[in-house]
Amino acid sequence: QVQLVESGGGLVQPGGSLRLSCAVHGSIYMFYSMEWYRQAPGKYRELVASITSGGRTNYADSVKGRFTISRDNAKNTGYLQMNSLKPEDTAVYSCNADLRATMTPRETYWGQGTQVTVSS
């Protein structure tokens, strides 16, 4: 059984920083890529950042230079460091992981989401 557990969301003032974590629990055979999405009220879900097993990263234009995605393969955990936060970054942030668990086919798993609110 694979479970993604997110943490690190909260309320922060504009210009502040937060670091989100996405821990993958379970018997993992191969961990391919991880993505972070966000969805604000009344808006479509947006791909924020992604990272491959080899560490190649990609970012939405709206967060380039402010957000950094990383991963610790030994811990099966991904991170999203968010700096210079703006009110428009307010959203529910969710991670997903493309992986193979032991004795199961390759599949994408999702975390439960964590609220990030940027407000003074």
Side-chain angles (χ1 to χ4, degrees), residues 72-94:
D72 184 333
N73 292 327
K75 296 181 179 180
N76 285 332
T77 299
Y79 305 96
L80 185 67
Q81 177 68 43
M82 305 185 294
N83 298 328
S84 302
L85 282 161
K86 305 175 182 180
E88 51 264 43
D89 293 318
T90 296
V92 175
Y93 285 71
S94 301

Side-chain angles (χ1 to χ4, degrees), residues 25-98:
H25 297 283
S27 180
I28 308 305
Y29 175 73
M30 186 67 70
F31 182 6
Y32 298 101
S33 62
M34 176 171 281
E35 298 174 324
W36 286 93
Y37 281 81
R38 68 184 180 186
Q39 187 166 21
K43 293 189 176 182
Y44 291 106
R45 188 173 63 184
E46 174 188 23
L47 175 61
V48 175
S50 63
I51 186 166
T52 67
S53 58
R56 188 171 68 245
T57 59
N58 200 21
Y59 297 93
D61 287 343
S62 58
V63 306
K64 278 182 182 176
R66 300 188 298 122
F67 290 12
T68 302
I69 188 171
S70 61
R71 58 190 285 172
D72 184 333
N73 292 327
K75 296 181 179 180
N76 285 332
T77 299
Y79 305 96
L80 185 67
Q81 177 68 43
M82 305 185 294
N83 298 328
S84 302
L85 282 161
K86 305 175 182 180
E88 51 264 43
D89 293 318
T90 296
V92 175
Y93 285 71
S94 301
C95 64
N96 74 39
D98 179 16

